[in-house]
Amino acid sequence: MRARRTLRTTLVAAGATAVLAASASGAFAAAAPHSAPVAHGAAHHHCKDKRVLVKTVRLADKVSVAKVYKTGRHHHHFEAEIWAKGTKYGTLVAKGKPAHGENNGLHVTLQPNGTVTSWVERAKPQPKPQPVAQRILVSITTLADDTSTGKVYKLGPNHYEADIYAHGHKVDTLAAKGRAAHGEDNGLHVVLKPDGRLISWVEDASDYSQGR
C-alpha cells in the first residue's frame, strides 16, 4: 500500500511540472480536467491561490479574447486564458517574466503586470504569376544540311525562339532575347539573331579529320 501512494504522488507531481513547462516554453498550455487528482494538502493551497478575474481583453484577430486573472497568495501573479468562439485554446502564466503563446498565427504576450498584447502574423503575399509569352510562328527555314528545319517564333521585341528539327524530331530550341543564340548538332551550326533571322552552315568534314 505504501508503494501505491508513492507512485500516485509521483504522477501528480510530474503532471504539474509538465503543465508549468508548457507555459514557460511559450505554448498555450492545455486546460487540466476539473476531475484531475490532486496531491495531499493541495486544497488548502488552492484556497490561498484563488484566481480573481480582473479584465477581458479583445485580441488582434478580432475574434479571440484573453481573460486575465490575478493569482498567487497575494494576487501578485497573472494568468491569461485564451478563448475564441466559446472554446479555450490555452493559458499563459506570467510569474516574474512575460509568457508568450501562438495559435494559428495569433501571437499573444502576457506581461508580469497583467498587460496583454497581441498581433496577427500576416501571410506572405504570393508572387504574381508572370504572363506566359505567346509564341507566334514567323518563319520556317530549311537549314544548310538540306534535311534539318528551323521554325522561328516571335515572343516579343528582340525576343525570338527557334525550334530545330532533324528528320522530323526536335533536337534543340534556341532563344535569342537581345543577343544571338548559337547551337550545333553533328556539324550543323545554327545561329538565331535577336531580329529573328536564322543563319546556318555545315562544318567541313575535313575539319574533323584534322582533329577539330
Side-chain angles (χ1 to χ4, degrees), residues 104-106 119-127:
N104 291 330
L106 173 64
W119 58 279
V120 177
E121 184 177 341
R122 303 298 180 186
K124 294 182 180 180
Q126 296 295 325

Side-chain angles (χ1 to χ4, degrees), residues 60-78:
D61 63 354
K62 309 300 183 183
V63 176
S64 306
V65 297
K67 296 182 179 181
V68 182
Y69 296 86
K70 281 188 174 182
T71 66
R73 183 173 182 179
H74 300 290
H75 291 168
H76 289 166
H77 301 150
F78 289 89

Side-chain angles (χ1 to χ4, degrees), residues 135 137-141 143 149-154 161-165 172-174 192 198:
R135 302 173 93 211
L137 181 64
V138 294
S139 66
I140 300 177
T141 303
L143 303 180
T149 302
K151 294 183 178 181
V152 180
Y153 298 85
K154 183 175 183 179
E161 290 183 354
D163 291 338
I164 310 302
Y165 291 84
D172 198 5
T173 296
L174 303 179
L192 175 63
L198 199 62

